[in-house]
Amino acid sequence: MNIRILKESDTHLYQEVRLNALKINPEAFGSTHEKEVEFSLETVKERITPTRDKYILGAFDDRKSLVGIVAFIRENNLKTRHKGNVFGMYIAPGNRGHGLGKSLMKDLISRAKNCDGLEQINLTVVSENDFAKKLYKSLGFVVYGTERNALKYNGHYFDEDLLVLTI
């Protein structure tokens, strides 16, 4: 596997994977396929263009197919710049269970540790997603709360656990 920060030239690949993620696991994301399928390529390009405090990591298999993604966004408010957030973690179904998610998160954490003044990384995960919670806990994240009914999809509510990693 090759893990790297996505760039503008990866726009089509990212959009395809992101839309698949929203179709396959709609309960796991705050956004929806119906919303993001309407995004222009320019909007997606802006979303993935990396900056010092925001980037999306992509995992590519031996065929150079994008099979995993995760986003990091640092808070930009003066009083919250000590925090970063993980969003949109997704591994394509045929690639799950082989340590790819752990590799992506280790890379993200390593990069985040190089952000001057960053002290913690936050993320949320659907409370019923035991596999993802096990992964995050194995990397040192701890649950500090649960938001009840955080997401509502097709008439069903999903709680989200709030996790933090102090770096």
Side-chain angles (χ1 to χ4, degrees), residues 5-115:
I5 293 177
L6 298 182
K7 51 190 186 260
E8 291 178 4
S9 61
D10 298 311
T11 299
H12 288 285
L13 293 172
Y14 172 78
Q15 186 178 38
E16 182 180 332
V17 171
R18 176 70 178 174
L19 291 174
N20 282 336
L22 294 169
K23 265 196 237 179
I24 293 168
N25 295 109
E27 75 289 347
F29 301 96
S31 189
T32 65
H33 181 271
E34 294 78 16
K35 177 182 176 183
E36 292 196 20
V37 76
E38 299 295 325
F39 286 180
S40 69
L41 280 179
E42 190 59 36
T43 298
V44 177
K45 186 184 291 185
E46 288 174 21
R47 178 185 234 183
I48 73 166
T49 300
T51 68
R52 186 174 55 114
D53 294 331
K54 173 196 77 129
Y55 52 84
I56 298 173
L57 291 176
F60 294 83
D61 66 13
D62 296 336
R63 296 176 315 237
K64 300 190 183 340
S65 296
L66 183 60
V67 296
I69 54 175
V70 65
F72 173 82
I73 302 175
R74 184 176 187 171
E75 299 275 343
N76 61 9
N77 183 307
L78 178 65
K79 293 182 179 181
T80 58
R81 280 198 53 77
H82 65 287
K83 299 188 289 187
N85 298 286
V86 174
F87 295 102
M89 172 67 150
Y90 177 75
I91 306 298
N95 296 275
R96 295 176 183 174
H98 303 291
L100 182 54
K102 191 168 204 164
S103 294
L104 267 173
M105 286 300 298
K106 280 183 173 181
D107 195 306
L108 182 144
I109 292 165
S110 176
R111 291 173 191 272
K113 285 181 176 179
N114 291 322
C115 291

Side-chain angles (χ1 to χ4, degrees), residues 112-159:
K113 285 181 176 179
N114 291 322
C115 291
D116 188 41
L118 191 76
E119 298 174 13
Q120 69 187 58
I121 302 172
N122 297 331
L123 62 82
T124 62
V125 62
V126 171
S127 298
E128 295 174 359
N129 191 341
D130 292 328
F131 187 78
K133 289 194 311 187
K134 182 179 175 185
L135 165 66
Y136 298 136
K137 288 178 181 180
S138 77
L139 294 166
F141 283 86
V142 294
V143 175
Y144 69 89
T146 301
E147 181 181 355
R148 302 284 176 222
N149 299 332
L151 301 174
K152 184 178 180 181
Y153 182 72
N154 284 343
H156 294 26
Y157 289 99
F158 298 90
D159 296 345

